[in-house]
Structures are given as C-alpha cells and as structure tokens.
Amino acid sequence: MKKSIEELNAIRERMKQTIQMRSDNSNNVRVVVGMATCGIAAGARPVLAAFVDEVNRRQLKNVTVAQTGCIGVCRLEPIVEIYEPGKEKVTYVKVDENKARMIVAEHLVNQRVIEEYTIGAAK
Amino acid sequence: MNIVRSHVLVCGGTGCTSSNSPEIIKQFNKELDKRGLSDEVKVIQTGCFGLCALGPIVIVYPEGSFYSMVKPEDVEEIVEEHILKGRIVKRLLYEGDLKEAKVATSLNDTNFYKKQKRIALRNCGVIDPENIDEYIANDGYQALAKVLTQMTPEEVIDTITASGLRGRGGAGFPTGRKWAFAAKEDNPVKYVCCNADEGDPGAFMDRSLLEGDPHSIIEAMAIAGYAIGAHQGYVYVRAEYPIAVKRLQIAIRQAREYGFLGEDIFGTGFNFDLDVRLGAGAFVCGEETALMRSIEGHRGEPRPRPPFPAVKGLFDKPTILNNVETYANVPWIINNGPEAFASIGTEKSKGTKVFALGGKITNTGLVEIPMGTTLREVIEEIGGGVPNGKKFKAAQTGGPSGGCIPESLIDTPMDFESLAAVGSIMGSGGLIVMDEDNCMVDIAKFFLQFTVDESCGKCTPCRIGMRRLLELVDKITSGNGTLEDIELTEQLCYHIKENSLCGLGQTAPNPVLSTLQHFRDEYIAHVVDKRCPAGVCKNLLRYQILAEKCIGCTSCARVCPVGAISGEVKKPHTIDTSKCIKCGACMEKCKFGAIVKN
C-alpha cells in the first residue's frame, strides 16, 4: 500500500515507542520491577506488564521500564523502585496492577510520590 | 495481553552469523516459547554492532546488557536468569567497563563506543534491517519526504555541498560537486549508481551498512535521483555478500510496497526505482568505469577518462556513482542540516569515517570516528591496543591501494589530507594493524599478489609491470635480492603509477612505495644481511637449537616431519638446515625454549 507523508509520520510515531526501549540514555527515569522468584510469586509479572502498557499508552518519553532480581524485602513484593536522575530513589511495595497504573499517573506524570504505597508506609 | 517489555537484539551481520548467531536466535525463540514469554519479549535480528571480535553479540533491552561471545547453550541461562528473573548474567557481559558497574550503564560510556560518533552506522545494531517500520521510527524516509516536498534539486545539491561530504570510497571527491556535474547535463535519461563492490582485503564497512541499514542507501539514492534528475538507480554489490544482497532486496521490496520507490513518490510526481546488480567479485569492478561496463553486461574493464561518468556514464548517459557509506550519510545531512555535519571533523575532511579494524588488534570490528581522530586513539583506546603484549609496528590503510603508517607517526590524524601526507591514503576504510611479528616486505608482497591476480589485463603497465614488481619483491624475500633490485623496484613503482590506465594500476604500487619509505631498513636487511627481522620470510629463516638449554628430550626430533633433527637421548640435538622446511613444529613442541629462529 502506497504511503503518504502523513502515513509515514504515523508509522514513525507508532514505532518510536517500540524503538525507544533500545535507546542508551542514562538520563532516563528508570522504573525497576523486582522479578526474582519472590517477586514473580507475589505477582510482579502483571505489574511489569501494567507499567510497560501504561508508559506506552501515555507515550511517556525517557522512561525505561526494566526488571531486576531480588531486592531483598521479599515479604513486601512486588517491589518497584523508581530512579530519577538527581533524586533519591523511591521504593514502592506490594504493588499490583492498579497501583502500577496509579504510580505512572501520579509519580511519573504529575511528579507526586504516592506516600502510602512506599516502603516507608509499609508495616 | 500483548505487551512487549523486553527486546533481545541479536547481531545478524556476517561476522556474528558465521559464529552461529542464527542458532542463538532459534534458541531464544525456543526458550521463550517454552516459558510462555513469546508475547512479552521480542527477539530482533539486527546489523553489526561493531565488536565483531567478540561475536556473537546479544543485547537485552531495556537493561541494555551487552552480552558477548554468546553460545547457543548460554541462551537458556539468559532467558531463565535475566529475562525471567531479572538477574543479569554477569559472566557473559562484555569485559569492558560494564561489568563492574552496579546499575546498567550506557553502552556509549565504554571505551569502544565513547570516542565513536555513529552517523553512517546510526541504525546498525539498533534496528531490524528487514523491517521498514523500524527504519521509519528512526526518522527513516523523512529526508526523502522533505526533499521532494520542500526543496528544489539545486537546494539538495547545495545542502550536500555545504556539508562538505566527500566520497567515502577512497578518493574523497566532493559529493556535492559530483552531483552538480550530473545535474548540469541536459539529458532526459540519467542514472544513479551505488558502488557496493567492496574489494579491499580486510574491509567490510559497506557490507555491514547494507546488512544493518539497507533502507538508508535506498533513501539516499532516491534523493540523489531527485537532485540530478534520474529515475533509475543500480546498486552494484558483490555476490559474495549474500546477507547484504538478501536484505537489500527485502528493503527494496518493502520500499516499493510503501511507495517510496516507484511512480509518483509521496504524490509529488517524482518517479524513481532501484535494481540490484551482482558483481562476480573482480576487484577492478570497484573502479567506476569498469563497474558501469559490468552493469551494462560487458566484461568489467576500465576505460580512459574523460569523459567522466557525470557526462557519459552508464549506457553512455550522465551517471553518478557513490560509495555505500557516502550515501548512508546523505539522509542524516538532510535531516540534521549541513552545518551539523560540517561541524564534525577537520577543515577539509568533514563528518565521520567508518573503519574496519583488523589484524593485530584486540577489538576487531567496525568503528565510526570523527575525521581527524588520531591513529593512536583508534588503536589504543577504541581498538583496545595490540594483543598479547606485542609492540605496535604499523597500520595499513587503504588496502592494496594504500600504504603503511609506522609507529613514529601514530599521532597522525585520520583525515584525507593527513593520511596522504604520510604516504598512505584514507581508502575505503580498511585498517589493518601490524605488530613486531609482521614483516613489512612480506605485507607488501601480499598486496602485490592480490593486485597481480586482480589486474584486468587491459593495459600493459599494470598487467606486466605488476608481475615484474612481484617477481622483484619475491626475489628480495627469498634472500636473492641485491641493493640494485631495491632501486629497480622503486623505479618500476613510479613507472606503473604514471602509466596505468585506471585507479587499480595507478595505486597498486603504493604498498611497496610506502613500506620502502618507512621501512627501507627491512628491505636492506633482506638483501644485505639475508635476514628477515620479523622472522616471517621462510627462505631467510633459520631454526637453531641452543645447546645449553636442550636437555635431549627428543620431542622435537619426533615431531619434525622431514627428519631434520638428530641427536642422542639426553644430549643436545641439532637441526640439519639443509633438510629443514621451516615449519616451526619443533619450536612449538619444545618446552624448554631451546629452539630459536633467526
């Protein structure tokens, strides 16, 4: 199918999200999900998927969603840590799919840390 | 749910393919499938990352973990540990600075990538070359759209001229000027050609570009077609590059499907199409007039110029012919502006240059550096230096048409003028590093053998002169040369250079001339002392057993294939030099370092 310039630009925008994962930009905000056995058992897999999906849906630039091994506080899994350049990292615990989407909206978009989800608020 | 959370990039360049990367891709798909991860993790075959020595290369994103020398049996561990559990497999990480870093650092911070600037290679190792959408994501075909809708052909040529882009095939002719000559011709039929007949031993820049980013060549050729008023292009690529040919053909098909090739591109009324022509691998077909003869279906032989191809080229029509790497820069220049390109490099050599590092160097592979980067930076920092603690002796640039840069000139900036000033050339980008174990006369002989084989035979100076030259150098390396032979060699070189018809013959004596210039003492050692200082030339070698070190274990005598070693058990042995064939097997076998060659 022949493409017009508008269609070319549409493909570019759509595919940019896909390619963005491969940029080696160390200034990115990094969302790191604990995906060791403990994390997976506690449901980290859908949490990771929710983060990727939400970040893509909102077309957030400069956000990297990555996974890591056991963070060490297995009883509080799924754990998600957010590293922003120049800021102290924020650790969210007992995250689920809904919380994940909230964190993207509040923390990444509106720049407000959701205190009640953080490790500081956990018992 | 189909959310891709991770990309596994596996190098599918020729280097990594030959070290079994297709099997790795197969394993990844199998392992991911087994764990039900196929929808979450995407496996992508990309082009060359540059670190061919450490292939096969696998990069896992978003972490950006750079795994080197991955074997098919490692795949299960990567999937199980890294992709499933998020634990990076440290033992497979690239040895560079990444291993110690706690958080995944950017690849661009490693020594190998730090000094590089990837313009021509911008997409190599980043996108899937067989997927046009990924090329589009990285601003692909934006330059073509911009040129066709917002610029006149003159503006395109002015932009290229202003960028200072010069031909990357070796000669360094200003690309904008070449295009302007062809644009000036008043002829309804013109052609755009791409020279992908990369023939220098040790050079693989063009191959990697075509394998890693074929669409950028297609886009640039369409832009060139618009600039000079051509509607048909040909890519002349050697048949020995099967992966490059296949990806190029896939890319052309995809571009046609999207209407970026064909009629009425972007609804602007501009028509341009592209075809691939396969070369049979004759070195002379990299010469522009011979290449065009070959595309026409004739025997690939050069003809005298003028008329230049811009006036009378393919099928006697005005034609431009540019190298693959030259084209790869064009879309970037249009998108980023000529000033951005001209701000990189030196006064007369703008932009970057891709080099294929080979020979005695740790990081064999492909690098792209700003023009004017010194040879020292390329070899010691990017290339990781000469392995095994050996001493750097010289670097050879420009292949059979080029010359050597000795250790004393290691701070030479790599640009067209500086390299010419030290008796070498930029060439297409092959860079072969030599250490103390390389004999410079032998190197010159190697390249002479190559050009003698590849001479098309049309003109006498090249056909007969080169053969005589090889005979002379052969006489020197076999220990039968005289000082007069060295002089005769030199004279013959100049004679061939001045009288040959095409670039092949005009440059073929360069390896001899430049080694004579920088390493004349080695030639003299061969004829006067009958000795090869590097211990390479077999006829001048002599193996000897040091009596004080030999304990008479007899292992050398047992391994000698011609029975040249004799001696009693537990007593020092001796080598009969008249029988010795200088294979070196005894020296390899001796545990006591009692055998030396000199």
Side-chain angles (χ1 to χ4, degrees):
Chain A
M1 236 284 288
K2 259 184 110 141
K3 301 279 186 258
S4 65
I5 293 181
E6 292 71 40
E7 286 166 311
L8 172 70
N9 290 335
I11 297 174
R12 177 166 69 149
E13 289 317 309
R14 175 167 58 80
M15 290 300 291
K16 262 215 151 63
Q17 281 295 335
T18 311
I19 293 280
Q20 210 202 331
M21 190 187 290
R22 297 176 213 161
S23 65
D24 269 309
N25 190 347
S26 38
N27 290 323
N28 273 8
V29 175
R30 294 172 52 82
V31 177
V32 180
V33 183
M35 287 275 280
T37 309
C38 49
I40 294 171
R45 194 168 281 288
V47 169
L48 178 68
F51 268 108
V52 176
D53 181 47
E54 197 65 22
V55 166
N56 280 351
R57 220 168 47 79
R58 292 172 182 269
Q59 309 209 338
L60 298 183
K61 303 261 184 309
N62 305 321
V63 175
T64 305
V65 182
Q67 50 172 349
T68 188
C70 179
I71 294 172
V73 210
C74 307
R75 67 183 180 97
L76 297 177
E77 292 279 0
I79 299 178
V80 176
E81 297 189 311
I82 297 187
Y83 297 84
E84 287 176 277
K87 290 190 198 168
E88 201 162 317
K89 83 170 174 196
V90 177
T91 305
Y92 290 108
V93 297
K94 294 194 170 176
V95 182
D96 58 26
E97 263 181 85
N98 287 334
K99 284 184 183 174
R101 290 181 197 276
M102 286 289 287
I103 291 169
V104 174
E106 281 296 298
H107 189 138
L108 298 181
V109 178
N110 296 330
Q111 304 287 316
R112 277 197 299 263
V113 176
I114 311 177
E115 294 291 346
E116 68 259 39
Y117 295 170
T118 61
I119 193 162
K123 293 189 179 68
Chain B
M1 194 164 46
N2 190 358
I3 297 163
V4 178
R5 62 172 171 92
S6 187
H7 289 181
V8 177
L9 272 62
V10 183
C11 178
T14 292
C16 288
T17 298
S18 59
S19 46
N20 217 3
S21 70
E23 183 59 31
I24 289 173
I25 293 176
K26 220 185 280 169
Q27 281 294 326
F28 263 111
N29 285 324
K30 199 180 111 194
E31 293 294 332
L32 290 172
D33 209 36
K34 207 161 84 186
R35 291 170 178 76
L37 294 168
S38 302
D39 288 343
E40 293 175 34
V41 181
K42 206 167 150 189
V43 182
I44 298 135
Q45 175 174 262
T46 68
C48 184
F49 294 108
L51 260 177
C52 308
L54 297 175
I57 305 282
V58 174
I59 302 189
V60 181
Y61 283 107
E63 290 82 10
S65 306
F66 193 101
Y67 294 123
S68 60
M69 298 173 98
V70 178
K71 288 189 274 306
E73 51 270 31
D74 295 329
V75 171
E76 189 178 355
E77 187 178 347
I78 296 177
V79 172
E80 181 73 32
E81 285 294 304
H82 184 155
I83 293 172
L84 196 64
K85 297 179 184 163
R87 290 194 290 243
I88 290 168
V89 185
K90 290 227 168 87
R91 72 173 178 92
L92 293 171
L93 281 186
Y94 165 50
E95 288 282 351
D97 333 54
L98 287 177
K99 217 164 197 169
E100 290 82 41
K102 281 196 185 123
V103 195
T105 39
S106 168
L107 263 186
N108 300 324
D109 293 336
T110 61
N111 275 335
F112 183 70
Y113 287 105
K114 196 160 55 188
K115 292 227 163 170
Q116 292 198 46
K117 175 138 187 77
R118 289 162 87 92
I119 293 179
L121 294 173
R122 62 193 178 279
N123 285 326
C124 276
V126 180
I127 64 166
D128 175 357
E130 297 183 12
N131 183 346
I132 188 171
D133 288 352
E134 294 207 353
Y135 178 66
I136 292 172
N138 271 0
D139 299 333
Y141 291 104
Q142 292 290 331
L144 181 61
K146 182 176 170 187
V147 160
L148 292 183
T149 54
Q150 299 167 29
M151 294 169 85
T152 64
E154 295 74 39
E155 283 169 349
V156 177
I157 292 175
D158 289 345
T159 304
I160 299 299
T161 307
S163 74
L165 177 63
R166 294 170 63 176
R168 297 298 193 244
F173 190 80
T175 307
R177 258 172 69 199
K178 194 184 252 186
W179 291 16
F181 287 144
K184 215 170 54 190
E185 292 297 313
D186 185 23
N187 197 320
V189 182
K190 297 179 188 178
Y191 294 105
V192 172
C193 293
C194 174
N195 187 345
D197 191 63
E198 187 172 51
D200 296 4
F204 51 93
M205 301 76 51
D206 297 348
R207 187 194 73 205
S208 298
L209 271 166
L210 285 174
E211 286 172 357
D213 195 15
H215 282 285
S216 69
I217 312 301
I218 296 173
E219 184 178 8
M221 288 181 74
I223 292 170
Y226 176 73
I228 69 159
H231 304 293
Q232 176 65 42
Y234 292 99
V235 182
Y236 188 85
V237 52
R238 42 181 47 219
E240 293 103 318
Y241 284 179
I243 300 176
V245 171
K246 182 184 133 219
R247 297 216 176 122
L248 186 62
Q249 281 165 338
I250 291 172
I252 290 175
R253 202 179 64 226
Q254 291 173 338
R256 280 190 190 135
E257 269 168 31
Y258 276 19
F260 304 151
L261 285 176
E263 292 189 353
D264 194 21
I265 298 169
F266 291 127
T268 58
F270 173 67
N271 308 332
F272 188 81
D273 209 348
L274 206 57
D275 282 301
V276 177
R277 287 289 178 272
L278 299 186
F283 184 58
V284 73
C285 286
E287 196 278 340
E288 58 178 6
T289 58
L291 184 149
M292 288 174 195
R293 288 288 288 169
S294 178
I295 294 181
E296 288 167 4
H298 301 289
R299 183 180 174 139
E301 283 182 338
R303 62 156 176 81
R305 297 172 300 180
F308 285 95
V311 178
K312 210 174 168 189
L314 186 61
F315 301 113
D316 289 341
K317 305 293 182 195
T319 305
I320 56 165
L321 173 72
N322 287 121
N323 168 266
V324 173
E325 189 189 336
T326 315
Y327 281 125
N329 284 299
V330 168
W332 192 93
I333 292 170
I334 302 282
N335 283 332
N336 296 276
E339 303 80 18
F341 192 79
S343 70
I344 305 161
T346 63
E347 197 195 332
K348 287 188 174 162
S349 304
K350 301 296 187 194
T352 58
K353 178 77 192 84
V354 183
F355 284 98
L357 290 185
K360 308 283 179 63
I361 185 119
T362 307
N363 295 335
T364 304
L366 206 62
V367 302
E368 181 170 355
I369 50 166
M371 292 270 194
T373 305
T374 64
L375 180 61
R376 185 189 294 278
E377 288 172 281
V378 175
I379 291 174
E380 292 180 359
E381 294 178 38
I382 301 172
V386 178
N388 304 326
K390 300 276 182 178
K391 204 167 151 285
F392 170 78
K393 184 175 195 178
Q396 213 275 353
T397 64
S401 316
C404 293
I405 306 164
E407 207 258 333
S408 57
L409 295 170
I410 194 170
D411 287 309
T412 306
M414 309 282 278
D415 62 57
F416 289 106
E417 282 72 29
S418 308
L419 288 175
V422 299
S424 188
I425 60 164
M426 173 75 81
S428 60
L431 194 129
I432 298 166
V433 181
M434 285 161 288
D435 67 9
E436 51 194 307
D437 291 342
N438 287 102
C439 166
M440 300 315 284
V441 188
D442 186 65
I443 295 283
K445 192 170 90 175
F446 167 79
F447 283 115
L448 282 183
Q449 277 162 342
F450 179 82
T451 35
V452 164
D453 281 348
E454 293 292 344
S455 170
C456 76
K458 185 170 179 175
C459 72
T460 319
C462 178
R463 184 184 68 241
I464 297 175
M466 288 305 293
R467 185 159 290 279
R468 289 290 97 83
L469 191 59
L470 175 60
E471 284 166 5
L472 277 169
V473 174
D474 197 46
K475 193 175 163 195
I476 293 170
T477 57
S478 56
N480 302 319
T482 61
L483 283 172
E484 288 73 41
D485 286 332
I486 298 183
E487 302 227 327
L488 191 60
T489 302
E490 204 162 13
Q491 277 174 22
L492 186 54
C493 285
Y494 288 116
H495 184 82
I496 296 169
K497 272 176 85 77
E498 280 158 24
N499 294 295
S500 290
L501 169 62
C502 81
L504 195 161
Q506 287 160 10
T507 59
N510 285 353
V512 181
L513 280 175
S514 91
T515 46
L516 271 171
Q517 184 188 342
H518 297 299
F519 297 96
R520 203 180 192 91
D521 53 328
E522 286 198 22
Y523 280 85
I524 291 173
H526 281 76
V527 298
V528 177
D529 310 338
K530 307 288 178 207
R531 196 173 64 82
C532 174
V536 173
C537 298
K538 270 195 173 173
N539 272 337
L540 300 175
L541 273 187
R542 185 156 303 183
Y543 283 87
Q544 228 183 336
I545 296 178
L546 301 172
E548 65 273 19
K549 282 195 180 170
C550 180
I551 61 150
C553 71
T554 73
S555 27
C556 58
R558 274 178 280 141
V559 79
C560 179
V562 289
I565 303 179
S566 55
E568 281 175 52
V569 182
K570 294 195 176 158
K571 285 195 181 139
H573 283 43
T574 48
I575 300 176
D576 179 354
T577 44
S578 62
K579 279 191 193 164
C580 175
I581 55 162
K582 291 142 192 175
C583 66
C586 52
M587 196 170 160
E588 220 167 84
K589 198 81 190 171
C590 181
K591 286 185 220 144
F592 309 97
I595 300 180
V596 290
K597 60 175 179 181
N598 51 31

